[in-house]
Amino acid sequence: MGCDVATHIDSPSHFFEEIHDGSTARCIHQLGPDELVAKGAIIDVTEKVSKNNTYQLMPQDVVDWEKQYGQIPKRAIVIMKTGWGARFNDIDRYENKDKDGVCNFPGFHPDTAKLLIQEREIVGIGIDTPSLDYGPSKNYPTHKIILGADKYQIENMNLEGVEEGASTTFISSPMLVKGAPESETRVFAVVGTAGNKS
């Protein structure tokens, strides 16, 4: 059964047998409700992506967001909203491959992944593109940083109508396939539940 399709969650075992601290990498069925129900920190870079299809979320984007909304809440899921979801039903535009077959879509810069792991307390990250790493990536450094730190990540999210800020709670309900490294999931965005700073 294909699990790495549609809106889905990657668990640490998607990339690792052992994570950075030497412990066994967790699978989908080992993610707990205290992680899968989380405050959202939604960073909207749609305008930047409209000018640069391979834009990467930078640490400065996080700093600028926090100036407006306050520091990312503890045990939040950080969501990069790119506007790419509007392309979802057109696979050619969604993958956006160039003449060499390289995908071109936005993602998290690895320096931002490091910031979120080392200086914030998050449960995971999510995005409305096919991958948390930007399209041209060949070795997926953001995947390795996030999953290696025992966090999860969600790809192909539907973020249309979900606004930037810190007032949304995300509830992720993956298909609990025992031993699976990733799994399709439903993600519910409950607006106005987490307290927003203006």
Side-chain angles (χ1 to χ4, degrees):
M1 182 179 72
C3 292
D4 197 11
V5 296
T7 303
H8 65 274
I9 294 183
D10 293 337
S11 71
S13 66
H14 178 51
F15 261 57
F16 299 100
E17 293 184 1
E18 292 185 353
I19 59 173
H20 297 335
D21 66 4
S23 61
T24 301
R26 293 184 298 157
C27 298
I28 289 294
H29 73 282
Q30 295 169 309
L31 300 177
D34 59 327
E35 302 166 271
L36 297 174
V37 179
K39 295 178 180 179
I42 305 162
I43 304 176
D44 190 339
V45 292
T46 301
E47 184 175 348
K48 293 178 179 179
V49 169
S50 70
K51 301 173 183 176
N52 177 5
N53 283 339
T54 55
Y55 184 79
Q56 296 183 78
L57 187 75
M58 303 303 296
Q60 188 60 48
D61 291 313
V62 174
V63 171
D64 292 343
W65 185 93
E66 290 184 330
K67 287 178 181 177
Q68 183 170 358
Y69 299 104
Q71 186 163 313
I72 291 171
K74 290 184 177 180
R75 299 191 62 75
I77 179 169
V78 178
I79 304 294
M80 180 182 176
K81 180 178 179 179
T82 70
W84 212 253
R87 301 175 177 229
F88 187 78
N89 291 320
D90 185 336
I91 187 63
D92 290 336
R93 293 185 66 238
Y94 196 59
E95 292 183 334
N96 200 32
K97 291 181 179 179
D98 61 23
K99 60 181 177 59
D100 297 316
V102 176
C103 292
N104 287 273
F105 52 75
F108 281 76
H109 193 280
D111 287 347
T112 304
K114 290 177 184 177
L115 168 71
L116 296 175
I117 293 301
Q118 296 173 1
E119 301 182 31
R120 304 292 185 272
E121 186 179 337
I122 65 168
V123 295
I125 61 176
I127 198 168
D128 53 356
T129 73
S131 175
L132 278 303
D133 284 279
Y134 81 143
S137 177
K138 295 181 179 180
N139 53 9
Y140 306 104
T142 292
H143 277 67
K144 293 173 182 176
I145 293 164
I146 295 296
L147 300 178
D150 197 36
K151 312 301 178 185
Y152 67 86
Q153 54 190 37
I154 307 177
E155 296 167 333
N156 297 320
M157 297 181 76
N158 179 1
L159 298 174
E160 302 302 302
V162 179
E163 296 183 355
E164 180 177 78
S167 65
T168 298
T169 296
F170 287 89
I171 303 171
S172 300
S173 181
M175 186 184 301
L176 294 180
V177 181
K178 188 173 183 180
E182 62 274 321
S183 176
E184 292 94 339
T185 186
R186 288 185 174 181
V187 181
F188 302 90
V190 185
V191 179
T193 55
N196 214 352
K197 179 179 177 180
S198 59

